[in-house]
Amino acid sequence: QKEVEQNSGPLSVPEGAIASLNCTYSDRGSQSFFWYRQYSGKSPELIMFIYSNGDKEDGRFTAQLNKASQYVSLLIRDSQPSDSATYLCASSGNTPLVFGKGTRLSVIA
Amino acid sequence: GAGVSQTPSNKVTEKGKYVELRCDPISGHTALYWYRQSLGQGPEFLIYFQGTGAADDSGLPNDRFFAVRPEGSVSTLKIQRTERGDSAVYLCASSHQGAGGYYNEQFFGPGTRLTVL
């Protein structure tokens, strides 16, 4: 059974702080990893993807991948109240995307 | 450009009825996916099309669920003899490449909220 695990939260951070979201996956064959943001009542929106070990930065977002530990993370710098949402981690190998349940982030102004 | 569109946005039906949910993918995307999302859960894979053919239907929960994509663009998810447990948001996504590629950036539609009374 391929699984992606996330802490459901809520994770509360003050405005301007760094939010750190974590995810582990069970399938060692997973090759690509994705972070989606989902606002309440809306559909998932792709933020970043990563497939190589290390860090990948895009604006205020940094994705980190450690395949040996089967661990993916998303850092959000200078968190804003508009970042408050559920963040979904997903993995993919030669299989369809497997999603975690998501971590609810709340950025407090 | 236009994103993925889904109709209807909401569908309320009675137990035992038949429903059809429609998805219109991003133009040029060959891969199309259906997911189901229940409250507090991540999207759950149902079926994946590459072109007109269903490349992977392993996520369909039972034979009441069926999907088609006859011309390789618009897809319809069909649910027969609906049950209350089918109530969920049904999401459609599309991408340039199928699930076998390293790049699988899927773009989601707004979803159809199905309620079975």
Side-chain angles (χ1 to χ4, degrees):
Chain A
Q1 180 80 355
K2 299 178 176 66
E3 293 183 338
V4 173
E5 299 286 341
Q6 294 182 256
N7 188 320
S8 62
L11 172 66
S12 294
V13 300
E15 183 176 0
I18 296 175
S20 178
L21 304 161
N22 305 312
C23 166
T24 59
Y25 60 95
S26 65
D27 181 15
R28 285 200 172 273
S30 297
Q31 299 163 335
S32 306
F33 304 87
F34 303 83
W35 284 100
Y36 284 83
R37 177 175 62 197
Q38 188 171 29
Y39 292 112
S40 181
K42 302 295 185 183
S43 60
E45 172 193 8
L46 181 65
I47 298 175
M48 292 191 70
F49 66 90
I50 186 168
Y51 56 92
S52 296
N53 275 327
D55 295 0
K56 179 181 179 183
E57 186 174 322
D58 184 1
R60 295 187 298 113
F61 299 96
T62 299
Q64 299 174 318
L65 173 60
N66 183 326
K67 290 187 178 180
S69 300
Q70 296 177 243
Y71 178 88
V72 192
S73 66
L74 179 71
L75 301 177
I76 306 175
R77 288 180 298 281
D78 189 24
S79 296
Q80 302 297 309
S82 59
D83 294 326
S84 298
T86 295
Y87 289 79
L88 298 163
C89 173
S91 70
S92 175
N94 289 319
T95 57
L97 284 181
V98 177
F99 282 87
K101 293 183 178 181
T103 297
R104 190 155 55 91
L105 173 66
S106 179
V107 181
I108 310 300
Chain B
V4 178
S5 62
Q6 292 186 246
T7 55
S9 55
N10 279 283
K11 176 70 177 179
V12 180
T13 191
E14 293 179 342
K15 180 176 179 295
K17 299 291 188 182
Y18 168 82
V19 296
E20 289 189 351
L21 312 179
R22 175 189 166 107
C23 172
D24 198 341
I26 292 171
S27 178
H29 280 188
T30 57
L32 184 147
Y33 313 79
W34 284 99
Y35 294 86
R36 177 169 69 175
Q37 187 174 26
S38 301
L39 194 63
Q41 303 294 314
E44 172 194 16
F45 170 76
L46 295 177
I47 186 170
Y48 148 58
F49 287 91
Q50 184 63 270
T52 61
D56 185 344
D57 64 357
S58 62
L60 295 177
N62 51 59
D63 61 6
R64 296 187 297 107
F65 289 74
F66 189 71
V68 296
R69 194 186 185 198
E71 298 178 357
S73 179
V74 171
S75 175
T76 304
L77 178 66
K78 308 181 181 192
I79 310 174
Q80 298 177 318
R81 304 183 303 281
T82 52
E83 299 178 357
R84 291 192 180 88
D86 298 335
S87 297
V89 175
Y90 288 80
L91 294 165
C92 176
S94 69
S95 72
H96 278 296
Q97 287 181 281
Y102 272 79
Y103 294 96
N104 198 15
E105 301 168 64
Q106 297 181 22
F107 298 89
F108 282 82
T112 294
R113 182 175 297 278
L114 175 66
T115 303
V116 182
L117 301 177

Coordinates of all heavy atoms in Angstrom, one line a residue, chain A residues 37-44 82-87 104-105, chain B residues 37 39 89 110 113:
Chain A
R37 N -1.6 23.5 -2.7 CA -2.3 24.3 -1.7 C -3.8 24.2 -2.0 O -4.2 24.3 -3.2 CB -1.8 25.8 -1.8 CG -2.5 26.7 -0.9 CD -1.9 28.1 -1.0 NE -2.0 28.7 -2.3 CZ -1.3 29.7 -2.8 NH1 -0.3 30.2 -2.0 NH2 -1.5 30.2 -4.0
Q38 N -4.6 24.1 -1.0 CA -6.0 24.0 -1.2 C -6.7 24.9 -0.2 O -6.7 24.6 1.0 CB -6.5 22.5 -1.0 CG -8.0 22.3 -1.4 CD -8.4 20.9 -1.5 OE1 -7.8 20.0 -0.8 NE2 -9.4 20.6 -2.3
Y39 N -7.3 25.9 -0.7 CA -8.2 26.8 0.2 C -9.5 26.1 0.4 O -9.9 25.3 -0.4 CB -8.4 28.1 -0.5 CG -7.1 29.0 -0.6 CD1 -6.6 29.3 -1.8 CD2 -6.5 29.5 0.6 CE1 -5.4 30.1 -1.9 CE2 -5.4 30.3 0.5 CZ -4.8 30.6 -0.8 OH -3.7 31.4 -0.9
S40 N -10.1 26.4 1.5 CA -11.4 25.8 1.9 C -12.4 25.9 0.8 O -12.7 27.0 0.3 CB -11.9 26.4 3.2 OG -13.1 25.8 3.6
G41 N -13.0 24.8 0.4 CA -14.0 24.8 -0.6 C -13.5 25.0 -2.1 O -14.3 25.1 -3.0
K42 N -12.2 25.0 -2.2 CA -11.6 25.1 -3.6 C -10.8 23.9 -3.9 O -10.6 23.0 -3.1 CB -10.6 26.4 -3.6 CG -11.3 27.7 -3.2 CD -12.4 28.1 -4.2 CE -12.9 29.4 -3.9 NZ -14.0 29.8 -4.9
S43 N -10.4 23.8 -5.2 CA -9.6 22.7 -5.7 C -8.1 22.9 -5.4 O -7.7 24.0 -5.2 CB -9.9 22.5 -7.2 OG -9.5 23.6 -7.9
P44 N -7.3 21.8 -5.4 CA -5.9 21.9 -5.2 C -5.2 22.7 -6.3 O -5.5 22.6 -7.4 CB -5.4 20.5 -5.2 CG -6.6 19.7 -4.9 CD -7.8 20.4 -5.5
S82 N -2.6 35.2 3.9 CA -3.2 34.6 2.7 C -2.6 33.2 2.4 O -3.1 32.5 1.5 CB -2.9 35.5 1.5 OG -1.5 35.7 1.3
D83 N -1.6 32.8 3.1 CA -1.0 31.5 3.0 C -1.8 30.4 3.8 O -1.6 29.2 3.7 CB 0.5 31.4 3.5 CG 1.4 32.2 2.6 OD1 1.2 32.3 1.4 OD2 2.4 32.8 3.2
S84 N -2.7 30.9 4.6 CA -3.6 30.0 5.4 C -4.4 29.1 4.5 O -5.2 29.6 3.7 CB -4.5 30.8 6.3 OG -3.7 31.6 7.2
A85 N -4.2 27.8 4.6 CA -4.8 26.9 3.7 C -4.4 25.5 4.1 O -3.6 25.3 5.1 CB -4.4 27.1 2.2
T86 N -4.9 24.5 3.4 CA -4.4 23.1 3.6 C -3.4 22.8 2.5 O -3.6 23.1 1.4 CB -5.6 22.1 3.5 OG1 -6.4 22.3 4.6 CG2 -5.0 20.7 3.6
Y87 N -2.2 22.2 3.0 CA -1.2 21.9 2.0 C -1.1 20.4 1.8 O -0.9 19.7 2.8 CB 0.2 22.5 2.5 CG 0.2 24.0 2.4 CD1 -0.5 24.8 3.3 CD2 0.8 24.6 1.3 CE1 -0.5 26.2 3.2 CE2 0.7 26.0 1.2 CZ 0.1 26.8 2.1 OH 0.0 28.1 2.0
R104 N -3.1 21.5 7.7 CA -3.8 22.8 7.7 C -2.9 23.8 8.4 O -2.4 23.6 9.5 CB -5.1 22.7 8.5 CG -6.0 23.9 8.4 CD -7.5 23.5 8.6 NE -7.7 22.8 9.9 CZ -8.0 23.4 11.0 NH1 -8.1 24.7 11.1 NH2 -8.2 22.7 12.1
L105 N -2.6 24.9 7.6 CA -1.7 25.9 8.1 C -2.6 27.2 8.4 O -3.4 27.6 7.5 CB -0.7 26.3 7.0 CG 0.2 27.5 7.3 CD1 1.1 27.3 8.5 CD2 1.0 27.9 6.0
Chain B
Q37 N -12.6 13.3 -3.4 CA -12.1 13.9 -2.2 C -13.2 14.0 -1.2 O -14.2 14.7 -1.4 CB -11.4 15.3 -2.4 CG -10.7 15.8 -1.2 CD -9.9 17.1 -1.4 OE1 -10.2 17.8 -2.3 NE2 -8.9 17.3 -0.6
L39 N -14.3 14.9 2.9 CA -13.9 15.9 3.9 C -12.8 15.5 4.7 O -12.8 14.4 5.3 CB -15.1 16.3 4.7 CG -15.0 17.5 5.6 CD1 -14.9 18.7 4.6 CD2 -16.2 17.7 6.5
V89 N -16.5 15.3 -3.2 CA -16.2 16.2 -4.3 C -15.4 15.4 -5.3 O -14.4 14.8 -5.0 CB -15.3 17.4 -3.8 CG1 -14.9 18.3 -5.0 CG2 -16.1 18.3 -2.8
P110 N -12.4 22.8 -10.8 CA -13.0 23.3 -9.5 C -13.8 22.2 -8.8 O -14.1 22.4 -7.6 CB -13.9 24.4 -10.0 CG -14.2 24.0 -11.4 CD -13.0 23.4 -11.9
R113 N -19.4 18.9 -6.5 CA -19.8 18.4 -5.2 C -21.0 17.5 -5.4 O -22.1 18.0 -5.8 CB -20.0 19.5 -4.2 CG -20.4 19.0 -2.8 CD -20.6 20.2 -1.9 NE -19.3 20.9 -1.7 CZ -18.3 20.5 -0.9 NH1 -18.5 19.5 -0.2 NH2 -17.3 21.3 -0.8

